[in-house]
């Protein structure tokens, strides 16, 4: 018999594996989640934390089994699929972080961020200064910068 506490799984998943499942549409959002709405500085702070291997907070996923979830799922912003699969998991907490990391690291498109001054949305590419990244004395926040101009993505 499942008790409430036995229903939790505190497993760790590699970030690339999580982002790949988002890209493939197996991890989606319940339609009750708000849209992505982060500012540029939050994106840079998250990238800096990930680049240092710092914890970025937990991600709460709900496993979805045949008809057990009664909300409409939707793809994470930035995911584009011709055939949308039935999700295996839904993001209940951590949507802004998952969306940010997916758009910055996996989407090959600019990240749509909100301006702090007027709440207007703009598309930005994020870049890292590799020379600074290899220097242990450089602050991580100074490694990243954004450009509103059309850029290119370097596949690693």
């Amino acid at each position: 018999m499942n008790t409430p506490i036995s229903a939790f799984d505190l497993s760790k998943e590699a970030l690339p594996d999580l982002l790949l499942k988002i890209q493939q549409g197996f991890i989606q959002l319940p339609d009750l989640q708000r849209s992505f709405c982060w500012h540029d500085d939050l994106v840079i702070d998250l990238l800096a934390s990930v680049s240092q291997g710092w914890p970025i907070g937990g991600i709460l996923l709900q496993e979805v089994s045949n008809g057990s979830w009664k909300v409409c799922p939707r793809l994470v912003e930035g995911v584009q699929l011709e055939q949308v699969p039935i999700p295996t998991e839904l993001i209940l907490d951590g949507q802004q972080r998952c969306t940010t990391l997916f758009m910055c690291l996996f989407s090959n498109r600019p990240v749509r961020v909100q301006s702090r001054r007027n709440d207007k949305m703009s598309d930005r590419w994020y870049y890292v200064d590799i020379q600074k990244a290899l220097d242990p004395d450089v602050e991580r926040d100074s490694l990243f910068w954004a450009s509103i101009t059309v850029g290119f993505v370097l596949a690693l």
Side-chain angles (χ1 to χ4, degrees):
M1 169 157 90
N2 274 349
T3 64
I5 203 72
S6 70
F8 288 95
D9 177 9
L10 298 175
S11 60
K12 293 181 182 180
E13 186 166 6
L15 182 58
D17 295 339
L18 177 79
L19 297 177
L20 181 61
K21 286 185 193 176
I22 290 172
Q23 184 179 46
Q24 295 169 336
F26 294 117
I27 294 178
Q28 295 183 26
L29 295 166
D31 62 352
L32 55 94
Q33 285 275 11
R34 67 182 176 154
S35 295
F36 178 73
C37 60
W38 265 22
H39 299 282
D40 187 54
D41 57 338
L42 292 172
V43 173
I44 289 174
D45 288 347
L46 180 63
L47 291 172
S49 294
V50 169
S51 76
Q52 290 182 297
W54 289 352
I56 59 167
I59 307 293
L60 180 61
L61 301 174
Q62 167 71 45
E63 288 183 354
V64 179
S65 57
N66 302 333
S68 69
W69 194 257
K70 302 295 183 206
V71 298
C72 286
R74 64 180 169 89
L75 293 172
V76 169
E77 287 185 53
V79 176
Q80 296 179 344
L81 296 171
E82 288 185 28
Q83 296 284 345
V84 178
I86 295 172
T88 57
E89 297 170 290
L90 296 173
I91 301 171
L92 300 182
D93 186 47
Q95 181 252 349
Q96 300 294 320
R97 287 169 282 147
C98 287
T99 302
T100 298
L101 292 170
F102 171 76
M103 289 195 294
C104 288
L105 303 174
F106 264 64
S107 73
N108 292 326
R109 287 183 298 283
V111 180
R112 191 158 201 67
V113 294
Q114 201 171 28
S115 168
R116 279 215 181 271
R117 287 188 317 214
N118 56 20
D119 287 336
K120 286 187 179 178
M121 302 298 282
S122 64
D123 292 335
R124 295 183 179 239
W125 292 96
Y126 288 86
Y127 300 93
V128 63
D129 184 323
I130 297 298
Q131 275 189 310
K132 286 182 180 179
L134 296 174
D135 185 343
D137 297 325
V138 172
E139 288 290 321
R140 288 310 220 194
D141 291 18
S142 70
L143 298 180
F144 301 95
W145 75 94
S147 172
I148 300 175
T149 60
V150 175
F152 63 92
V153 175
L154 187 62
L156 302 176

